[in-house]
Amino acid sequence: MRIRTDDEIYRVDAVWLGPPKATFPWRARYVAWGVGIPVFLLVLSVERQIGIGFDFFSTAWAFVITIALTNIITSKISHERPLGAVFTMWWRELHAPRERRTGTGGAASASKIRVNRERPRPRPRRRDRSRRGTAPPPPPYPPDSPGRARRRPPAAVGR
């Protein structure tokens, strides 16, 4: 459901249908004519810069592109958001600071990290060294094996 505004000024649809008794078959707001004519000239100049010649089909395609661009631009324009505000918003959005997703600095490398083939063994305790004079025997399980995991004490009965 579309609700009409209460304001008398904006109730009038500001469109130009063409000369009297020879109206156009479409409705275009005044702002669409103001936007469409410069867009058409811009599209024609871009076609010439690309190297497309001036003939019927290039002008027809320029006219189609102009209608599409004008519809896109004027869909964002209303009496509450004029053309200048839309262009200002577009310009500020285009030049707003962005988050940098790449790191600053050079490439990281692991070439300077020393790697030993064997894992380091725990040092013997002081009293063991003083008694025996040799290192204690290695543990029965490797340090990261599942057999070395601690067991829970049995659950209390009567809970």
Side-chain angles (χ1 to χ4, degrees), residues 21-55:
K21 297 186 181 181
T23 59
F24 291 132
W26 63 84
R27 293 170 49 109
R29 296 186 297 168
Y30 287 122
V31 71
W33 289 102
V35 169
I37 292 170
V39 168
F40 181 68
L41 296 174
L42 181 71
V43 168
L44 282 177
S45 63
V46 167
E47 280 185 352
R48 299 307 155 269
Q49 292 295 322
I50 292 174
I52 299 173
F54 187 74
D55 61 350

mmCIF file of all heavy atoms in Angstrom, residues 21-55:
data_model
loop_
_atom_site.group_PDB
_atom_site.id
_atom_site.type_symbol
_atom_site.label_atom_id
_atom_site.label_comp_id
_atom_site.label_asym_id
_atom_site.label_seq_id
_atom_site.Cartn_x
_atom_site.Cartn_y
_atom_site.Cartn_z
ATOM 1 N N LYS A 21 -1.186 19.206 -27.025
ATOM 2 C CA LYS A 21 -1.789 18.453 -28.122
ATOM 3 C C LYS A 21 -0.787 17.589 -28.884
ATOM 4 O O LYS A 21 -1.117 17.050 -29.925
ATOM 5 C CB LYS A 21 -2.527 19.387 -29.093
ATOM 6 C CG LYS A 21 -3.683 20.103 -28.434
ATOM 7 C CD LYS A 21 -4.464 20.898 -29.432
ATOM 8 C CE LYS A 21 -5.586 21.613 -28.692
ATOM 9 N NZ LYS A 21 -6.417 22.402 -29.571
ATOM 10 N N ALA A 22 0.429 17.494 -28.407
ATOM 11 C CA ALA A 22 1.436 16.603 -29.000
ATOM 12 C C ALA A 22 2.286 16.043 -27.865
ATOM 13 O O ALA A 22 3.496 16.198 -27.839
ATOM 14 C CB ALA A 22 2.294 17.349 -30.010
ATOM 15 N N THR A 23 1.649 15.391 -26.917
ATOM 16 C CA THR A 23 2.359 14.919 -25.723
ATOM 17 C C THR A 23 3.192 13.684 -26.037
ATOM 18 O O THR A 23 2.909 12.945 -26.981
ATOM 19 C CB THR A 23 1.363 14.583 -24.606
ATOM 20 O OG1 THR A 23 0.494 13.580 -25.089
ATOM 21 C CG2 THR A 23 0.577 15.812 -24.191
ATOM 22 N N PHE A 24 4.201 13.477 -25.205
ATOM 23 C CA PHE A 24 5.047 12.292 -25.337
ATOM 24 C C PHE A 24 4.291 11.077 -24.801
ATOM 25 O O PHE A 24 3.445 11.206 -23.918
ATOM 26 C CB PHE A 24 6.344 12.460 -24.555
ATOM 27 C CG PHE A 24 7.256 13.487 -25.129
ATOM 28 C CD1 PHE A 24 7.828 14.449 -24.317
ATOM 29 C CD2 PHE A 24 7.571 13.499 -26.478
ATOM 30 C CE1 PHE A 24 8.677 15.385 -24.834
ATOM 31 C CE2 PHE A 24 8.426 14.436 -27.002
ATOM 32 C CZ PHE A 24 8.980 15.393 -26.179
ATOM 33 N N PRO A 25 4.621 9.892 -25.258
ATOM 34 C CA PRO A 25 3.938 8.694 -24.739
ATOM 35 C C PRO A 25 4.510 8.233 -23.391
ATOM 36 O O PRO A 25 4.103 7.211 -22.878
ATOM 37 C CB PRO A 25 4.194 7.644 -25.827
ATOM 38 C CG PRO A 25 5.397 8.103 -26.537
ATOM 39 C CD PRO A 25 5.424 9.590 -26.438
ATOM 40 N N TRP A 26 5.448 8.952 -22.824
ATOM 41 C CA TRP A 26 6.014 8.583 -21.531
ATOM 42 C C TRP A 26 5.986 9.783 -20.609
ATOM 43 O O TRP A 26 5.840 10.917 -21.038
ATOM 44 C CB TRP A 26 7.447 8.058 -21.687
ATOM 45 C CG TRP A 26 8.400 9.084 -22.217
ATOM 46 C CD1 TRP A 26 9.059 10.042 -21.513
ATOM 47 C CD2 TRP A 26 8.782 9.268 -23.573
ATOM 48 N NE1 TRP A 26 9.819 10.808 -22.340
ATOM 49 C CE2 TRP A 26 9.673 10.345 -23.619
ATOM 50 C CE3 TRP A 26 8.462 8.627 -24.765
ATOM 51 C CZ2 TRP A 26 10.257 10.797 -24.784
ATOM 52 C CZ3 TRP A 26 9.048 9.081 -25.925
ATOM 53 C CH2 TRP A 26 9.930 10.151 -25.926
ATOM 54 N N ARG A 27 6.143 9.508 -19.325
ATOM 55 C CA ARG A 27 6.185 10.569 -18.322
ATOM 56 C C ARG A 27 7.601 10.653 -17.796
ATOM 57 O O ARG A 27 8.177 9.647 -17.398
ATOM 58 C CB ARG A 27 5.239 10.248 -17.181
ATOM 59 C CG ARG A 27 3.794 10.259 -17.581
ATOM 60 C CD ARG A 27 2.907 9.700 -16.490
ATOM 61 N NE ARG A 27 3.176 10.283 -15.194
ATOM 62 C CZ ARG A 27 2.355 11.125 -14.568
ATOM 63 N NH1 ARG A 27 1.239 11.472 -15.135
ATOM 64 N NH2 ARG A 27 2.647 11.591 -13.384
ATOM 65 N N ALA A 28 8.163 11.835 -17.791
ATOM 66 C CA ALA A 28 9.507 12.041 -17.257
ATOM 67 C C ALA A 28 9.498 13.284 -16.388
ATOM 68 O O ALA A 28 8.970 14.323 -16.781
ATOM 69 C CB ALA A 28 10.513 12.193 -18.388
ATOM 70 N N ARG A 29 10.067 13.159 -15.206
ATOM 71 C CA ARG A 29 10.140 14.311 -14.315
ATOM 72 C C ARG A 29 11.120 15.329 -14.882
ATOM 73 O O ARG A 29 11.978 15.001 -15.708
ATOM 74 C CB ARG A 29 10.624 13.872 -12.930
ATOM 75 C CG ARG A 29 9.669 12.944 -12.240
ATOM 76 C CD ARG A 29 10.094 12.642 -10.830
ATOM 77 N NE ARG A 29 11.371 11.938 -10.812
ATOM 78 C CZ ARG A 29 12.098 11.752 -9.718
ATOM 79 N NH1 ARG A 29 11.709 12.241 -8.569
ATOM 80 N NH2 ARG A 29 13.228 11.098 -9.774
ATOM 81 N N TYR A 30 11.024 16.542 -14.408
ATOM 82 C CA TYR A 30 11.951 17.579 -14.856
ATOM 83 C C TYR A 30 13.391 17.215 -14.527
ATOM 84 O O TYR A 30 14.294 17.451 -15.306
ATOM 85 C CB TYR A 30 11.604 18.924 -14.213
ATOM 86 C CG TYR A 30 10.358 19.557 -14.770
ATOM 87 C CD1 TYR A 30 9.297 19.876 -13.946
ATOM 88 C CD2 TYR A 30 10.254 19.826 -16.128
ATOM 89 C CE1 TYR A 30 8.156 20.460 -14.455
ATOM 90 C CE2 TYR A 30 9.116 20.404 -16.649
ATOM 91 C CZ TYR A 30 8.068 20.718 -15.812
ATOM 92 O OH TYR A 30 6.936 21.290 -16.315
ATOM 93 N N VAL A 31 13.582 16.627 -13.365
ATOM 94 C CA VAL A 31 14.947 16.255 -12.977
ATOM 95 C C VAL A 31 15.493 15.166 -13.903
ATOM 96 O O VAL A 31 16.693 15.115 -14.178
ATOM 97 C CB VAL A 31 14.989 15.834 -11.487
ATOM 98 C CG1 VAL A 31 14.306 14.513 -11.262
ATOM 99 C CG2 VAL A 31 16.414 15.782 -10.984
ATOM 100 N N ALA A 32 14.622 14.310 -14.448
ATOM 101 C CA ALA A 32 15.083 13.275 -15.378
ATOM 102 C C ALA A 32 15.578 13.899 -16.673
ATOM 103 O O ALA A 32 16.570 13.438 -17.256
ATOM 104 C CB ALA A 32 13.969 12.279 -15.656
ATOM 105 N N TRP A 33 14.890 14.945 -17.126
ATOM 106 C CA TRP A 33 15.371 15.637 -18.323
ATOM 107 C C TRP A 33 16.697 16.329 -18.025
ATOM 108 O O TRP A 33 17.621 16.317 -18.847
ATOM 109 C CB TRP A 33 14.342 16.672 -18.804
ATOM 110 C CG TRP A 33 13.133 16.054 -19.388
ATOM 111 C CD1 TRP A 33 11.919 15.909 -18.798
ATOM 112 C CD2 TRP A 33 13.016 15.470 -20.686
ATOM 113 N NE1 TRP A 33 11.044 15.270 -19.639
ATOM 114 C CE2 TRP A 33 11.700 14.992 -20.813
ATOM 115 C CE3 TRP A 33 13.888 15.297 -21.749
ATOM 116 C CZ2 TRP A 33 11.222 14.370 -21.954
ATOM 117 C CZ3 TRP A 33 13.411 14.678 -22.888
ATOM 118 C CH2 TRP A 33 12.108 14.221 -22.982
ATOM 119 N N GLY A 34 16.805 16.925 -16.847
ATOM 120 C CA GLY A 34 18.049 17.607 -16.475
ATOM 121 C C GLY A 34 19.224 16.664 -16.313
ATOM 122 O O GLY A 34 20.368 17.024 -16.574
ATOM 123 N N VAL A 35 18.968 15.450 -15.879
ATOM 124 C CA VAL A 35 20.032 14.455 -15.737
ATOM 125 C C VAL A 35 20.287 13.755 -17.073
ATOM 126 O O VAL A 35 21.439 13.496 -17.447
ATOM 127 C CB VAL A 35 19.656 13.428 -14.634
ATOM 128 C CG1 VAL A 35 20.605 12.246 -14.640
ATOM 129 C CG2 VAL A 35 19.656 14.085 -13.283
ATOM 130 N N GLY A 36 19.238 13.452 -17.808
ATOM 131 C CA GLY A 36 19.362 12.644 -19.022
ATOM 132 C C GLY A 36 20.125 13.320 -20.143
ATOM 133 O O GLY A 36 20.902 12.662 -20.849
ATOM 134 N N ILE A 37 19.938 14.614 -20.342
ATOM 135 C CA ILE A 37 20.627 15.298 -21.445
ATOM 136 C C ILE A 37 22.148 15.294 -21.243
ATOM 137 O O ILE A 37 22.890 14.908 -22.155
ATOM 138 C CB ILE A 37 20.043 16.715 -21.641
ATOM 139 C CG1 ILE A 37 18.612 16.590 -22.163
ATOM 140 C CG2 ILE A 37 20.901 17.535 -22.592
ATOM 141 C CD1 ILE A 37 17.846 17.896 -22.183
ATOM 142 N N PRO A 38 22.681 15.671 -20.058
ATOM 143 C CA PRO A 38 24.142 15.566 -19.874
ATOM 144 C C PRO A 38 24.652 14.121 -19.942
ATOM 145 O O PRO A 38 25.754 13.869 -20.452
ATOM 146 C CB PRO A 38 24.392 16.161 -18.495
ATOM 147 C CG PRO A 38 23.213 16.986 -18.197
ATOM 148 C CD PRO A 38 22.080 16.371 -18.927
ATOM 149 N N VAL A 39 23.858 13.173 -19.455
ATOM 150 C CA VAL A 39 24.277 11.767 -19.528
ATOM 151 C C VAL A 39 24.352 11.318 -20.982
ATOM 152 O O VAL A 39 25.285 10.605 -21.378
ATOM 153 C CB VAL A 39 23.321 10.864 -18.702
ATOM 154 C CG1 VAL A 39 23.560 9.395 -18.994
ATOM 155 C CG2 VAL A 39 23.494 11.126 -17.224
ATOM 156 N N PHE A 40 23.400 11.737 -21.799
ATOM 157 C CA PHE A 40 23.421 11.379 -23.219
ATOM 158 C C PHE A 40 24.663 11.952 -23.904
ATOM 159 O O PHE A 40 25.341 11.251 -24.669
ATOM 160 C CB PHE A 40 22.148 11.887 -23.904
ATOM 161 C CG PHE A 40 22.062 11.545 -25.363
ATOM 162 C CD1 PHE A 40 21.902 10.235 -25.767
ATOM 163 C CD2 PHE A 40 22.143 12.532 -26.334
ATOM 164 C CE1 PHE A 40 21.823 9.901 -27.105
ATOM 165 C CE2 PHE A 40 22.057 12.207 -27.677
ATOM 166 C CZ PHE A 40 21.898 10.890 -28.061
ATOM 167 N N LEU A 41 24.985 13.195 -23.624
ATOM 168 C CA LEU A 41 26.193 13.800 -24.211
ATOM 169 C C LEU A 41 27.460 13.090 -23.713
ATOM 170 O O LEU A 41 28.407 12.884 -24.488
ATOM 171 C CB LEU A 41 26.239 15.293 -23.895
ATOM 172 C CG LEU A 41 25.112 16.126 -24.507
ATOM 173 C CD1 LEU A 41 25.182 17.555 -24.002
ATOM 174 C CD2 LEU A 41 25.168 16.060 -26.023
ATOM 175 N N LEU A 42 27.468 12.705 -22.466
ATOM 176 C CA LEU A 42 28.614 11.980 -21.913
ATOM 177 C C LEU A 42 28.759 10.604 -22.568
ATOM 178 O O LEU A 42 29.869 10.188 -22.919
ATOM 179 C CB LEU A 42 28.459 11.837 -20.395
ATOM 180 C CG LEU A 42 29.576 11.128 -19.666
ATOM 181 C CD1 LEU A 42 30.812 12.016 -19.643
ATOM 182 C CD2 LEU A 42 29.161 10.768 -18.262
ATOM 183 N N VAL A 43 27.646 9.892 -22.762
ATOM 184 C CA VAL A 43 27.693 8.570 -23.398
ATOM 185 C C VAL A 43 28.168 8.700 -24.843
ATOM 186 O O VAL A 43 28.989 7.895 -25.315
ATOM 187 C CB VAL A 43 26.312 7.874 -23.309
ATOM 188 C CG1 VAL A 43 26.252 6.638 -24.197
ATOM 189 C CG2 VAL A 43 26.006 7.500 -21.876
ATOM 190 N N LEU A 44 27.683 9.711 -25.547
ATOM 191 C CA LEU A 44 28.142 9.924 -26.922
ATOM 192 C C LEU A 44 29.640 10.229 -26.982
ATOM 193 O O LEU A 44 30.355 9.716 -27.850
ATOM 194 C CB LEU A 44 27.356 11.073 -27.578
ATOM 195 C CG LEU A 44 25.952 10.745 -28.068
ATOM 196 C CD1 LEU A 44 25.292 11.998 -28.620
ATOM 197 C CD2 LEU A 44 25.973 9.659 -29.112
ATOM 198 N N SER A 45 30.124 11.041 -26.055
ATOM 199 C CA SER A 45 31.565 11.358 -26.067
ATOM 200 C C SER A 45 32.404 10.135 -25.698
ATOM 201 O O SER A 45 33.491 9.939 -26.243
ATOM 202 C CB SER A 45 31.860 12.527 -25.131
ATOM 203 O OG SER A 45 31.538 12.182 -23.807
ATOM 204 N N VAL A 46 31.903 9.288 -24.799
ATOM 205 C CA VAL A 46 32.632 8.055 -24.467
ATOM 206 C C VAL A 46 32.670 7.128 -25.679
ATOM 207 O O VAL A 46 33.703 6.502 -25.965
ATOM 208 C CB VAL A 46 31.995 7.360 -23.239
ATOM 209 C CG1 VAL A 46 32.522 5.951 -23.063
ATOM 210 C CG2 VAL A 46 32.241 8.169 -21.991
ATOM 211 N N GLU A 47 31.567 7.046 -26.415
ATOM 212 C CA GLU A 47 31.562 6.232 -27.636
ATOM 213 C C GLU A 47 32.598 6.737 -28.637
ATOM 214 O O GLU A 47 33.282 5.945 -29.281
ATOM 215 C CB GLU A 47 30.178 6.248 -28.279
ATOM 216 C CG GLU A 47 29.189 5.326 -27.650
ATOM 217 C CD GLU A 47 27.869 5.300 -28.398
ATOM 218 O OE1 GLU A 47 27.684 6.125 -29.328
ATOM 219 O OE2 GLU A 47 27.031 4.448 -28.066
ATOM 220 N N ARG A 48 32.713 8.038 -28.778
ATOM 221 C CA ARG A 48 33.701 8.584 -29.728
ATOM 222 C C ARG A 48 35.129 8.305 -29.263
ATOM 223 O O ARG A 48 36.009 8.037 -30.066
ATOM 224 C CB ARG A 48 33.518 10.096 -29.914
ATOM 225 C CG ARG A 48 32.207 10.567 -30.472
ATOM 226 C CD ARG A 48 31.800 9.884 -31.789
ATOM 227 N NE ARG A 48 30.365 9.917 -31.981
ATOM 228 C CZ ARG A 48 29.519 8.994 -31.580
ATOM 229 N NH1 ARG A 48 29.928 7.947 -30.944
ATOM 230 N NH2 ARG A 48 28.244 9.085 -31.822
ATOM 231 N N GLN A 49 35.364 8.369 -27.941
ATOM 232 C CA GLN A 49 36.702 8.091 -27.412
ATOM 233 C C GLN A 49 37.072 6.621 -27.599
ATOM 234 O O GLN A 49 38.239 6.293 -27.809
ATOM 235 C CB GLN A 49 36.773 8.450 -25.920
ATOM 236 C CG GLN A 49 36.679 9.930 -25.650
ATOM 237 C CD GLN A 49 37.862 10.681 -26.213
ATOM 238 O OE1 GLN A 49 38.984 10.204 -26.181
ATOM 239 N NE2 GLN A 49 37.593 11.863 -26.761
ATOM 240 N N ILE A 50 36.102 5.746 -27.517
ATOM 241 C CA ILE A 50 36.360 4.321 -27.726
ATOM 242 C C ILE A 50 36.670 4.049 -29.191
ATOM 243 O O ILE A 50 37.438 3.151 -29.517
ATOM 244 C CB ILE A 50 35.156 3.479 -27.252
ATOM 245 C CG1 ILE A 50 35.029 3.563 -25.740
ATOM 246 C CG2 ILE A 50 35.281 2.028 -27.670
ATOM 247 C CD1 ILE A 50 33.788 2.885 -25.193
ATOM 248 N N GLY A 51 36.079 4.823 -30.072
ATOM 249 C CA GLY A 51 36.318 4.630 -31.500
ATOM 250 C C GLY A 51 35.090 4.194 -32.256
ATOM 251 O O GLY A 51 35.194 3.769 -33.410
ATOM 252 N N ILE A 52 33.936 4.262 -31.639
ATOM 253 C CA ILE A 52 32.693 3.902 -32.308
ATOM 254 C C ILE A 52 32.252 5.099 -33.143
ATOM 255 O O ILE A 52 32.197 6.229 -32.658
ATOM 256 C CB ILE A 52 31.607 3.523 -31.272
ATOM 257 C CG1 ILE A 52 32.074 2.318 -30.454
ATOM 258 C CG2 ILE A 52 30.279 3.241 -31.952
ATOM 259 C CD1 ILE A 52 31.171 1.972 -29.306
ATOM 260 N N GLY A 53 31.938 4.864 -34.402
ATOM 261 C CA GLY A 53 31.541 5.945 -35.303
ATOM 262 C C GLY A 53 30.157 6.485 -34.988
ATOM 263 O O GLY A 53 29.392 5.913 -34.208
ATOM 264 N N PHE A 54 29.822 7.614 -35.614
ATOM 265 C CA PHE A 54 28.528 8.250 -35.395
ATOM 266 C C PHE A 54 27.574 7.793 -36.490
ATOM 267 O O PHE A 54 27.620 8.262 -37.626
ATOM 268 C CB PHE A 54 28.681 9.779 -35.414
ATOM 269 C CG PHE A 54 27.433 10.501 -35.038
ATOM 270 C CD1 PHE A 54 27.011 10.531 -33.722
ATOM 271 C CD2 PHE A 54 26.666 11.135 -35.995
ATOM 272 C CE1 PHE A 54 25.857 11.196 -33.363
ATOM 273 C CE2 PHE A 54 25.507 11.796 -35.649
ATOM 274 C CZ PHE A 54 25.099 11.830 -34.331
ATOM 275 N N ASP A 55 26.712 6.836 -36.182
ATOM 276 C CA ASP A 55 25.698 6.380 -37.123
ATOM 277 C C ASP A 55 24.414 6.094 -36.361
ATOM 278 O O ASP A 55 24.319 6.386 -35.168
ATOM 279 C CB ASP A 55 26.181 5.149 -37.911
ATOM 280 C CG ASP A 55 26.504 3.953 -37.030
ATOM 281 O OD1 ASP A 55 26.538 4.116 -35.804
ATOM 282 O OD2 ASP A 55 26.715 2.857 -37.576
#
